[in-house]
Amino acid sequence: MAKVIGIDLGTSNSAAAIMEGNAPRIIPSAEGTITGGGKAFPSYVAFDKEGNLLVGEPARRQAI
């Protein structure tokens, strides 16, 4: 059986889901906003003062 993953790259939030049987299941994240029974990742990318890449919620907090 093939593995299927769906990725929603939104302008505000992004999410990923896998198929379990006949139903999708959103892959949970450690942080983010709850969307449709799972957590979405904020669609942000940033660099901190040391040049480290930040993605998701840490990048969003950097923008503020």
Side-chain angles (χ1 to χ4, degrees):
M1 182 171 172
K3 304 278 183 181
V4 177
I5 184 169
I7 301 172
D8 173 11
L9 299 174
T11 56
S12 298
N13 291 294
S14 297
I18 58 170
M19 289 298 293
E20 287 188 337
N22 292 327
R25 181 176 66 86
I26 296 177
I27 298 170
S29 68
E31 51 187 46
T33 58
I34 297 177
T35 305
K39 289 190 177 180
F41 305 85
S43 297
Y44 285 82
V45 177
F47 293 95
D48 65 13
K49 292 178 182 177
E50 291 79 35
N52 297 309
L53 176 66
L54 304 173
V55 178
E57 189 61 32
R60 187 186 71 80
R61 286 193 301 266
Q62 178 82 0
I64 297 170

